[in-house]
Amino acid sequence: MSEPNPLLRVSARGLLRRRGMWLPSAVILGLLSLVLSMLYLGANNDPVGSTKDLPIALVTSDRGTKVAGQRIDLGAQIATQVTGSAELRDKVSWKKVDRRTADDLLARGKVFGALVIPEDFSASVAALAGPPQHEPHPPTMTVLTNPAAGSFGSGMAAEINRKVVSQASAQVGRVLTQQLGQQAAQQSESAHAGRPVAPAAAQLMIADPVKVNVEEGYPLGAHSGLGLSAFFYALVLVLGGMLGANVIHTQVDTALGYMANDKGPFRLVKPTQHMTRTHHFAVCSVLMVVLSMLTSALAMAGAIGVVGIDASHLGLLWIFGTCATAAMGITALALLAVLGTPGPIVSMLVLIGLAIPSAGATIPLQALPDFYRFLAEFEPFRQVVDGVRSILYFDARTDAGLGRAWTMTAIGFSVSLLLGLVLTRLYDRRGLHRSAPLRLSAAHPQPGPQTVPA
């Protein structure tokens, strides 16, 4: 088969010997590997040690009781000790509320769990120190989880609450043991008087009297990925915008003749058609917005229709998905238009590299280092996750993250669109057109590497 006759020919060995083929790729790939490893592993290296102000509700419904004419309120005492604990002071932000408010906080994803001290807590503890019962009722605290707010954060809150119950049980057990010790002299007399002595099982219960009851404070459906379906759905939207921008940009360049259309062994190069950078960005943006409607619908079809995830508010989910995808796409297109060839790498770092670790989707924001909490204030992925989570889990309540998600998505879309239009217009006014002809140097009449506007 005949080969084309280019002006210059180069062998594979000769090309590989060029330093320019190795150095840029080595620098770019090396830096990407270094930066991404630091970003992802740095965020997840020590979530327990990085935890700060993890929100947990504390409900004290204990009515107290009277023992030997004195009123005791163990629930209030335990709550005071818990909120004043030096060990948990910086790690946990306790929300002392009633049960109704706690349920509302759980339903809005504002807390990762709750610890509930019941109404009869003091009475059930006092009963253990009184005359032996046929069927003693152990004092119980309830730990409420909230996987809808994040399964990892919910697990952290549940573990903290279990430790609190364990410490409270040990403290109450010591008090009861002391009281029983004071009554030890009377037990022998009680036995001679015909009154029953506390059996061994009851004495063991007194040593560790408080039991923990773990319940799901805000139930999720069986097909919600234990609270992770929102993260993966948001990831689909973000990738749809970023990858969609690259596809659209390439297709427009191919249609204008800036790039060749390679399909397997076949290569088609169209005549170059001039278009200003501003118009090029505008065309890509229109395509991105319109096609986002399709990609959002197909994402829903795959996730809900085929996979079968639990979802409601389907119309709102489609609209939000469309807007989120469009905002991500416009951001990536603006970076492509402004930066040229480095645009895809920068957009990947902005929309994926920096965004996923700071999204609070797997590791809660309160368990991330300060740098990632700062990123979470404006990184787009966090906003998309909050919006999707509110729609899928929290009945699309604006105060459950959806309001902030709409606001930040609109800001991101507007800023990216304005940035793209202003800078591409500036390039056009300075004559930095993409279709500028190649200029050969007089000192080098043969064609060689040329530097032209991207």
Side-chain angles (χ1 to χ4, degrees):
M1 183 177 179
S2 62
E3 296 183 356
N5 295 317
L7 296 177
L8 291 176
R9 300 188 64 175
V10 62
S11 66
R13 180 180 298 178
L15 191 60
L16 289 174
R17 287 178 176 176
R18 294 181 183 177
R19 192 189 331 179
M21 295 301 300
W22 293 93
L23 186 58
S25 298
V27 171
I28 293 173
L29 295 179
L31 287 177
L32 280 177
S33 298
L34 175 64
V35 170
L36 290 178
S37 67
M38 292 173 59
L39 287 174
Y40 281 91
L41 298 179
N44 305 311
N45 185 42
D46 185 17
V48 175
S50 300
T51 301
K52 182 179 180 181
D53 296 332
L54 188 75
I56 302 176
L58 178 60
V59 179
T60 307
S61 303
D62 187 19
R63 294 180 177 178
T65 189
K66 286 187 176 181
V67 177
Q70 295 183 352
R71 180 171 181 79
I72 62 171
D73 192 342
L74 294 178
Q77 295 177 18
I78 292 175
T80 301
Q81 293 174 358
V82 168
T83 55
S85 171
E87 180 184 358
L88 300 176
R89 184 174 301 153
D90 295 329
K91 291 184 177 296
V92 179
S93 175
W94 295 102
K95 313 293 183 183
K96 296 183 66 174
V97 295
D98 56 25
R99 181 58 188 268
R100 182 175 181 180
T101 304
D103 290 338
D104 180 65
L105 292 174
L106 291 167
R108 292 189 290 128
K110 299 301 183 182
V111 294
F112 288 97
L115 177 62
V116 180
I117 303 176
E119 297 178 351
D120 63 344
F121 183 77
S122 294
S124 58
V125 171
L128 294 178
Q133 304 177 33
H134 180 65
E135 293 183 359
H137 174 64
T140 303
M141 293 186 190
T142 301
V143 172
L144 300 178
T145 63
N146 192 13
S151 56
F152 191 91
S154 177
M156 292 180 66
E159 182 63 23
I160 291 173
N161 284 332
R162 287 192 186 97
K163 289 182 179 180
V164 168
V165 174
S166 177
Q167 293 172 358
S169 180
Q171 180 180 357
V172 172
R174 286 193 295 268
V175 174
L176 291 176
T177 301
Q178 291 175 359
Q179 292 180 357
L180 289 178
Q182 295 173 358
Q183 300 172 3
Q186 302 176 359
Q187 289 184 355
S188 177
E189 299 176 2
S190 299
H192 291 297
R195 289 186 295 178
V197 180
Q203 294 179 9
L204 291 176
M205 180 182 295
I206 289 172
D208 185 17
V210 183
K211 306 305 177 185
V212 60
N213 180 32
V214 181
E215 299 178 0
E216 198 168 272
Y218 186 77
L220 280 178
H223 301 285
S224 59
L226 298 177
L228 289 175
S229 59
F231 164 69
F232 289 109
Y233 193 90
L235 181 61
V236 171
L237 298 179
V238 172
L239 289 177
M242 188 185 72
L243 298 178
N246 288 300
V247 170
I248 289 172
H249 193 275
T250 299
Q251 292 299 315
V252 173
D253 275 359
T254 301
L256 294 175
Y258 295 152
M259 294 182 61
N261 186 5
D262 289 322
K263 293 182 178 178
F266 304 104
R267 183 177 180 86
L268 175 64
V269 181
K270 294 183 178 181
T272 303
Q273 305 171 62
H274 174 71
M275 176 177 283
T276 65
R277 290 177 180 269
T278 305
H279 288 165
H280 186 283
F281 176 68
V283 169
C284 291
S285 299
V286 170
L287 288 170
M288 187 73 248
V289 171
V290 174
L291 294 179
S292 294
M293 303 178 188
L294 173 64
T295 59
S296 178
L298 293 178
M300 286 181 56
I304 301 172
V306 178
V307 177
I309 69 169
D310 294 325
S312 58
H313 305 281
L314 300 186
L316 180 59
L317 183 62
W318 172 72
I319 295 173
F320 181 79
T322 298
C323 295
T325 302
M328 295 296 169
I330 296 298
T331 301
L333 286 172
L335 293 172
L336 280 165
V338 173
L339 300 178
T341 302
I345 298 176
V346 176
S347 65
M348 187 271 292
L349 285 175
V350 173
L351 301 179
I352 301 296
L354 293 172
I356 290 182
S358 60
T362 52
I363 306 296
L365 297 179
Q366 293 81 3
L368 294 176
D370 293 338
F371 172 69
Y372 297 92
R373 298 184 202 182
F374 167 73
L375 291 178
E377 294 298 322
F378 56 85
E379 271 291 344
F381 200 174
R382 183 260 177 113
Q383 328 306 331
V384 178
V385 169
D386 285 351
V388 172
R389 181 181 283 158
S390 175
I391 295 173
L392 292 182
Y393 305 152
F394 299 124
D395 199 28
R397 297 177 61 168
T398 56
D399 55 356
L402 185 57
R404 175 187 170 85
W406 275 121
T407 301
M408 297 302 293
T409 299
I411 292 175
F413 181 93
S414 302
V415 170
S416 298
L417 184 64
L418 183 63
L419 177 68
L421 291 174
V422 169
L423 291 183
T424 52
R425 177 61 177 165
L426 178 63
Y427 292 167
D428 288 332
R429 293 187 62 180
R430 293 188 176 184
L432 301 174
H433 303 298
R434 301 184 72 211
S435 56
L438 294 175
R439 291 184 175 88
L440 300 182
S441 171
H444 301 280
Q446 294 296 329
Q450 302 291 325
T451 302
V452 297

